[in-house]
Amino acid sequence: MNYFFHIIIMINIYIVLTVSSNLLVGMTNLLSLGQAAFYGIGAYFSVLALTTLNLPLIPSLIVAMLATGVFSLLLALTSLRLKNDYFVLSTLGFQIITFSVLYNWISVTKGPYGIPGIPAPKLLGIFQVSGIIPFLIFSTVMSLFTIFIFYYLINSPFGRLLKAMREDELALITLGKNITSLKIQTFAISSSFIAIAGFLYATYVTYIDPSSFNLDESIFILSALLIGGLGNIKGPVVGSIFVILLPEILRFVGLPDSIAANMRQIIYGLILIILMRFKPEGLAGNYRIK
Amino acid sequence: MSKYILKINDLTKSFTSDKDKSPLLFDSLTIEFPAGAVIGLMGTNGAGKTTLFNIISRLVDCDKGNIWYDNGDKQIDLLKLKANVLKGIGIGRLFQDNHIFADMTILDNLLIGGEDSFGETPFITLFKRKKHKEKEKIRVAKAKMILTELFGKDNYFWQNRNNYASELSYGQQRLLGIARLLMSDHKLLLLDEPTAGVHPEIREMICEVIRKINTSKGVSIIIIEHNFKVIEVTADECCFIDQGEIAAVGPPEDIIGNPIVRKKYIGI
């Protein structure tokens, strides 16, 4: 039973990651390769808040979200004048720099050795979220909270502005809208919520190291988004379930672990190619990336 | 009290960013557009009409000069403003290409042009839901009113308001673009070839709408157009630009009969 709970927890973490990333990638057409960097920043700041500052659950979560939001402004401000491929390259640069800092700033992050023994967070200073069932509930609440917030953001006048921005920035400027402010807000909200995934991951696994937040992870998050689909809530949720369940299904096929890992990469690649050709809006999305 | 809506003084603009070596598109261009009128702006391709609109709209910078805009309360130098501020002081722009949000519904296209931006920030969206829903209802009512005023009670746009704008024909998209402009109370509209490439029936509708906006709302309109008939029907005054200079100004019938204009346009 614990195995199924573990799968659901991982799906919940990826739902938070993809639903948050969808605001940037799916709603504003800003294809980012730096999502794992925000995920990592969120995770490391969560650990800092929980261990060094010794804060309980909610304040730790807020610290992680605020810190990640502030870091996202660095990328937002440098990327605002860049478009399309140049924007993607700047997010790639951010991802690589963040990974290098996490990997080499050993006195703070412990570099490749990672940080073990992350304590279970305490809710209201009383309830300790440790063990699989409490974590299942906690991660489900956080993923539902994220879905709720982003559902309202997407289906609001703010979401309408984002959709308009991804289609035609020039028209939106002449309609009196401030594109710079919109992009900064999108970056800040998206990355702050990604920090929730970082918090969940760090406190669930109780160990983090930079390899969990590298470029491969960014590509994996983006793959989940593209497979599920962009522009709505359903797409990222379907994508998250798909990318977490696929390797588990392969496990039951009876392939040896070494082959299953490679097969997983091949299948993801094939699915992406097939989707881009025949269903570019993904399995459940309503927007095709341009 | 001034009688102009726009006064361009000594406007100079070079073709390229190298101001010293580049030939000039506008060399000390000076012109005044009267308030409350429809002004036709004509000229051959490359004469600088759209560039002039882009400078007025603050999408393109000029080398020197001033553009004074009189919004009734005060005179403002547009060159000191950013593009996204112009809507707030009453200036709207229709582009030569259809800048419609094709993957959004007809209604959303209209609502996004609304005067009131309440609810367009994440905080308001999440924490003032009741109020922003009320504001949204007011926006929807305004969209319905504008469509009814322009196209009649059972108009196609309102009946199909939840369809994607991409499903509209090119001409219908032009009409939607004009209707979107009216979601805000503008004092000056810059219309860049609103009837180019549309069916004669839609062209007539667009001409009618332009006249209606001017007469019923008192909005000043500057319209770039190549079609003599459209200029005759819509414009009170006409201005012909040739190689960045004002070659002729006057009533449309005089401009159309002007030998320079006829030579440039139809070669006779």
Side-chain angles (χ1 to χ4, degrees):
Chain A
M1 204 62 186
N2 281 1
Y3 168 72
F4 288 106
F5 291 158
H6 166 74
I7 300 293
I8 295 169
I9 290 169
M10 290 313 292
I11 287 174
N12 282 334
I13 292 173
Y14 272 85
I15 284 175
V16 175
L17 276 173
T18 53
V19 169
S20 313
S21 300
N22 178 50
L23 195 74
L24 195 66
V25 182
M27 296 301 293
T28 51
N29 206 21
L30 293 169
L31 190 68
S32 168
L33 283 174
Q35 300 310 85
F38 297 130
Y39 184 28
I41 292 168
Y44 276 90
F45 269 97
S46 303
V47 174
L48 180 81
L50 285 167
T51 55
T52 312
L53 303 177
N54 212 14
L55 294 174
L57 192 153
I58 292 172
S60 301
L61 198 54
I62 291 170
V63 166
M65 288 176 79
L66 287 176
T68 313
V70 169
F71 273 93
S72 79
L73 296 183
L74 290 177
L75 180 60
L77 290 170
T78 51
S79 307
L80 284 173
R81 288 181 172 272
L82 304 172
K83 281 188 172 179
N84 307 329
D85 299 350
Y86 299 101
F87 172 79
V88 178
L89 285 175
S90 74
T91 62
L92 176 65
F94 181 76
Q95 170 64 49
I96 292 168
I97 291 167
T98 306
F99 177 78
S100 295
V101 170
L102 294 179
Y103 199 82
N104 293 299
W105 198 4
I106 291 173
S107 60
V108 175
T109 65
K110 295 190 181 168
Y113 310 111
I115 303 173
I118 296 165
K122 273 186 182 170
L123 184 61
L124 305 171
I126 309 162
F127 308 109
Q128 200 157 35
V129 186
S130 70
I132 196 104
I133 301 288
F135 222 93
L136 177 72
I137 297 165
F138 177 49
S139 65
T140 306
V141 169
M142 292 320 291
S143 77
L144 288 176
F145 171 68
T146 308
I147 287 172
F148 174 81
I149 296 287
F150 281 86
Y151 176 81
Y152 279 111
L153 285 177
I154 287 173
N155 296 294
S156 70
F158 175 68
R160 187 165 61 214
L161 278 191
L162 298 184
K163 282 180 206 163
M165 185 166 70
R166 82 182 173 197
E167 283 202 44
D168 194 334
E169 287 188 11
L170 191 62
L172 203 56
I173 290 169
T174 55
L175 289 171
K177 311 301 176 191
N178 188 335
I179 299 289
T180 309
S181 158
L182 260 181
K183 284 185 180 171
I184 289 173
Q185 288 176 53
T186 311
F187 259 105
I189 296 167
S190 173
S191 54
S192 299
F193 275 80
I194 287 175
I196 295 179
F199 184 93
L200 288 172
Y201 180 81
T203 49
Y204 175 58
V205 179
T206 70
Y207 168 82
I208 53 169
D209 74 308
S211 69
S212 305
F213 314 109
N214 58 14
L215 181 60
D216 286 354
E217 184 62 24
S218 270
I219 293 170
F220 188 67
I221 296 166
L222 210 53
S223 304
L225 253 181
L226 293 175
I227 289 170
L230 300 164
N232 59 12
I233 296 291
K234 212 165 42 172
V237 172
V238 169
S240 302
I241 295 170
F242 186 89
V243 297
I244 296 295
L245 284 187
L246 181 70
E248 306 306 324
I249 292 166
L250 287 179
R251 210 188 291 265
F252 288 112
V253 173
L255 290 172
D257 278 356
S258 57
I259 297 175
N262 292 329
M263 279 304 290
R264 191 181 75 161
Q265 303 294 336
I266 291 169
I267 291 172
Y268 285 150
L270 272 175
I271 290 167
L272 275 176
I273 291 168
I274 292 166
L275 278 176
M276 290 301 109
R277 172 65 185 84
F278 295 104
K279 208 172 181 330
E281 67 275 19
L283 294 173
N286 63 5
Y287 173 68
R288 55 183 67 179
I289 206 152
K290 288 169 185 165
Chain B
M1 191 180 149
S2 69
K3 288 176 184 165
Y4 69 84
I5 185 80
L6 213 58
K7 188 159 78 177
I8 298 173
N9 271 342
D10 204 20
L11 187 81
T12 302
K13 165 78 182 156
S14 44
F15 270 106
T16 65
S17 53
D18 189 350
K19 292 174 195 170
D20 298 330
K21 290 180 184 169
S22 168
L24 294 174
L25 174 59
F26 297 123
D27 186 4
S28 301
L29 181 79
T30 298
I31 187 171
E32 204 172 292
F33 295 100
V38 179
I39 313 294
L41 204 56
M42 297 182 82
T44 51
N45 288 326
K49 306 178 298 296
T50 299
T51 306
L52 185 60
F53 266 21
N54 285 340
I55 294 172
I56 297 169
S57 310
R58 301 301 298 120
L59 298 172
V60 166
D61 284 327
C62 65
D63 304 339
K64 65 168 189 160
N66 307 99
I67 301 178
W68 291 101
Y69 164 70
D70 189 335
N71 74 348
D73 301 328
K74 57 181 177 178
Q75 279 114 41
I76 303 161
D77 186 359
L78 295 183
L79 299 184
K80 292 193 172 132
L81 303 178
K82 286 188 173 180
N84 66 316
V85 179
L86 297 194
K87 185 194 159 198
I89 57 168
I91 300 177
R93 165 92 188 255
L94 182 79
F95 287 92
Q96 198 171 340
D97 311 318
N98 273 342
H99 281 262
I100 286 293
F101 305 114
D103 283 348
M104 290 167 67
T105 64
I106 291 170
L107 184 60
D108 275 347
N109 264 278
L110 289 167
L111 298 182
I112 214 154
E115 190 95 62
D116 184 1
S117 61
F118 190 88
E120 288 181 350
T121 59
F123 181 83
I124 299 286
T125 290
L126 294 171
F127 300 109
K128 302 236 174 188
R129 291 195 58 227
K130 197 177 170 190
K131 193 172 177 190
H132 100 65
K133 281 192 169 180
E134 281 168 15
K135 294 274 184 185
E136 188 78 343
K137 274 185 193 167
I138 295 169
R139 278 185 214 124
V140 173
K142 184 167 186 183
K144 186 181 181 183
M145 189 189 78
I146 284 164
L147 291 176
T148 309
E149 268 179 25
L150 293 181
F151 311 119
K153 199 179 173 194
D154 296 319
N155 64 81
Y156 178 86
F157 294 99
W158 181 252
Q159 283 177 349
N160 297 283
R161 60 190 178 278
N162 294 322
N163 289 4
Y164 285 110
S166 56
E167 293 168 21
L168 295 173
S169 71
Y170 181 82
Q172 286 171 323
Q173 288 185 4
R174 296 302 273 171
L175 287 168
L176 178 64
I178 295 171
R180 185 172 69 186
L181 283 176
L182 297 185
M183 285 294 290
S184 286
D185 294 329
H186 289 110
K187 291 190 168 61
L188 170 66
L189 291 181
L190 307 169
L191 310 181
D192 197 347
E193 298 193 34
T195 68
V198 302
H199 188 272
E201 202 178 300
I202 301 265
R203 190 165 62 218
E204 270 180 35
M205 277 179 83
I206 292 174
C207 290
E208 204 178 303
V209 164
I210 290 170
R211 286 303 330 168
K212 204 184 273 185
I213 295 168
N214 175 249
T215 51
S216 67
K217 296 180 188 290
V219 178
S220 307
I221 299 172
I222 304 174
I223 168 172
I224 294 178
E225 192 52 70
H226 288 293
N227 189 317
F228 284 152
K229 277 187 182 170
V230 173
I231 290 290
E232 264 185 324
V233 173
T234 56
D236 301 307
E237 236 185 282
C238 188
C239 167
F240 186 79
I241 300 186
D242 184 31
Q243 294 181 346
E245 287 182 359
I246 306 295
V249 182
E253 56 275 15
D254 289 0
I255 297 298
I256 292 162
N258 186 306
I260 301 168
V261 176
R262 297 190 75 81
K263 179 81 181 162
K264 288 281 176 188
Y265 260 114
I266 40 183
I268 53 166

